[in-house]
Amino acid sequence: YTTTCTTTHLSEKLCRDILHGYKIYNAEVLIREDCTVDDFIDVVEGNRQYLPCLYVYNKVDTVTIEEVDRLARQPDSVVISCQWDLNLDVLVDEIWAKLDLVRVYTKKRGPALSAAASRSSSASRGAPASGRSASCPPSR
């Protein structure tokens, strides 16, 4: 049992008792962070997979600015207000970053494509609510 940091949740005896419960009697245990008992058991079982998460707090327009500031400073957190359209662009950026998404273009960028894109964007300003641009025929 060796630790590289101070542990507040685990002790050598507790680790030994947990390992004996899993019928592990000879092991070298190296703890590099202050993990909890549940974290240690998850490592011993080896069948847990942790996924990144993003905490999104909506309706921040109804709480005090101090509370919004406290929530926004927490790790992996985004505060938004759908009613005021507050921080929705930040939310989209955070989702892209957390999921490690990459945008793939199927056509090369060029003068013809950029001219067509500018025409379609100007035509789509008056697009119907269905999301189709005005120049697209309806799908069948």
Side-chain angles (χ1 to χ4, degrees):
Y1 180 84
T2 308
T3 62
T4 59
C5 64
T6 58
T7 56
T8 58
H9 305 287
L10 290 175
S11 66
E12 184 174 354
K13 182 181 179 336
L14 183 57
C15 286
R16 187 180 316 119
D17 292 344
I18 291 170
L19 291 172
H20 284 199
Y22 286 94
K23 296 185 175 33
I24 299 172
Y25 299 103
N26 290 322
E28 267 187 44
V29 177
L30 174 62
I31 298 179
R32 297 179 187 223
E33 66 181 46
D34 188 20
C35 61
T36 63
V37 174
D38 291 331
D39 294 335
F40 184 71
I41 291 172
D42 291 346
V43 169
V44 170
E45 287 182 353
N47 62 356
R48 302 291 193 272
Q49 182 176 3
Y50 291 97
L51 300 174
C53 71
L54 181 66
Y55 299 102
V56 180
Y57 298 97
N58 190 18
K59 299 189 180 199
V60 296
D61 51 334
T62 61
V63 295
T64 64
I65 193 71
E66 291 83 14
E67 183 70 13
V68 171
D69 186 50
R70 186 186 67 78
L71 292 172
R73 292 183 186 274
Q74 292 180 356
D76 303 319
S77 298
V78 176
V79 293
I80 65 169
S81 171
C82 290
Q83 183 176 3
W84 290 353
D85 291 333
L86 179 70
N87 270 356
L88 296 179
D89 53 341
V90 173
L91 174 62
V92 170
D93 292 342
E94 284 292 321
I95 290 171
W96 274 80
K98 285 285 183 192
L99 294 176
D100 201 21
L101 295 176
V102 177
R103 188 176 303 258
V104 176
Y105 295 95
T106 57
K107 296 181 183 178
K108 289 184 179 180
R109 288 186 170 183
L113 184 61
S114 62
S118 66
R119 279 196 306 265
S120 70
S121 67
S122 63
S124 65
R125 287 189 188 118
S130 67
R132 290 189 210 111
S133 68
S135 61
C136 294
S139 59
R140 295 179 191 250

